Amino acid sequence: MFSAALLRVVSETNFAPCACAMANASRYICVAAPVPRGTPPEASKAVVNAIYTGNWILQQQQELLKPFGLTVQQYNVLRILRGQQGAPMTVLAITERMLDKMSNASRLVDKLVEKKLVLRRECPQDRRAVDVLILPAGLDLLSQVDQVQNDWGKHFDALGIKKLEEMNQILDEFRTVFSHN
């Protein structure tokens, strides 16, 4: 079931083989779960499943946003700015609220300025800071994306409210357990 190269990679690391590698090595890139040896197999499987599902959702969102000429990160910035209800926001404040903390918010704002979806201006209180405002074109684009997002989100109806609440609780607990270490 495993190729010799796969087994060698797994054995040379300090990680246990992940469930996806054990199930079908040729189908997945992942060859080692990011949990130490000796961790229960279900923990390893849960980590791989969370990573796989997160990547799958990200890919779905990228495809959904592509016709609108937006990246997931640009969409996130626009949604943050829409939540301000017309009030300006600094680039630093946008960065703090972004889902992807590794994104370069300044560069993302520049791209959105080029697309004429946001306005970037010097902050009157602090000339070193930059205020960002969403423009009507940005709000209009978000309205269009909202319609497609709502259609995509209907897939969750099949799970039902109870399962969705459980999933949210488990994911919250998962992050909480790791943030206390």
Side-chain angles (χ1 to χ4, degrees):
M1 180 162 44
F2 289 110
S3 69
L6 174 64
L7 286 173
R8 187 172 54 255
V9 168
V10 170
S11 65
E12 289 173 0
T13 65
N14 192 25
F15 298 110
C18 67
C20 63
M22 290 186 274
N24 187 350
S26 64
R27 187 169 164 213
Y28 298 98
I29 295 170
C30 175
V31 295
V35 291
R37 287 190 188 281
T39 300
E42 284 305 309
S44 178
K45 185 177 175 182
V47 170
V48 171
N49 200 353
I51 292 168
Y52 181 81
T53 303
N55 287 335
W56 179 83
I57 290 171
L58 185 60
Q59 183 180 20
Q60 294 278 308
Q61 289 296 300
Q62 288 168 337
E63 290 301 314
L64 188 143
L65 294 168
K66 193 181 291 183
F68 299 98
L70 291 175
T71 65
V72 172
Q73 294 83 2
Q74 290 170 347
Y75 176 62
N76 187 212
V77 170
L78 288 174
R79 286 182 46 111
I80 290 167
L81 291 170
R82 177 174 62 183
Q84 289 296 107
Q85 301 177 345
M89 192 171 197
T90 65
V91 174
L92 179 61
I94 292 170
T95 302
E96 290 169 353
R97 294 195 35 208
M98 288 189 68
L99 295 172
D100 179 0
K101 303 295 184 201
M102 300 305 291
S103 291
N104 182 337
S106 185
R107 194 180 84 233
L108 292 169
V109 167
D110 288 344
K111 294 285 186 187
L112 293 170
V113 167
E114 287 175 21
K115 295 177 183 193
K116 298 182 178 15
L117 300 173
V118 302
L119 174 68
R120 183 181 188 138
R121 67 177 189 202
E122 188 178 278
C123 177
Q125 290 82 13
D126 181 357
R127 286 200 265 159
R128 294 170 296 168
V130 176
D131 279 342
V132 183
L133 291 157
I134 190 165
L135 294 171
L139 292 170
D140 292 343
L141 183 61
L142 279 179
S143 292
Q144 294 172 39
V145 174
D146 286 345
Q147 293 173 9
V148 177
Q149 286 283 15
N150 289 339
D151 289 342
W152 184 82
K154 288 178 184 172
H155 291 94
F156 290 104
D157 293 348
L159 294 173
I161 296 295
K162 181 79 171 148
K163 280 189 178 179
L164 291 170
E165 288 171 348
E166 289 174 17
M167 182 174 70
N168 284 320
Q169 181 182 352
I170 290 169
L171 290 170
D172 288 343
E173 288 175 14
F174 189 78
R175 284 188 310 276
T176 300
V177 165
F178 283 94
S179 66
H180 287 99
N181 289 338

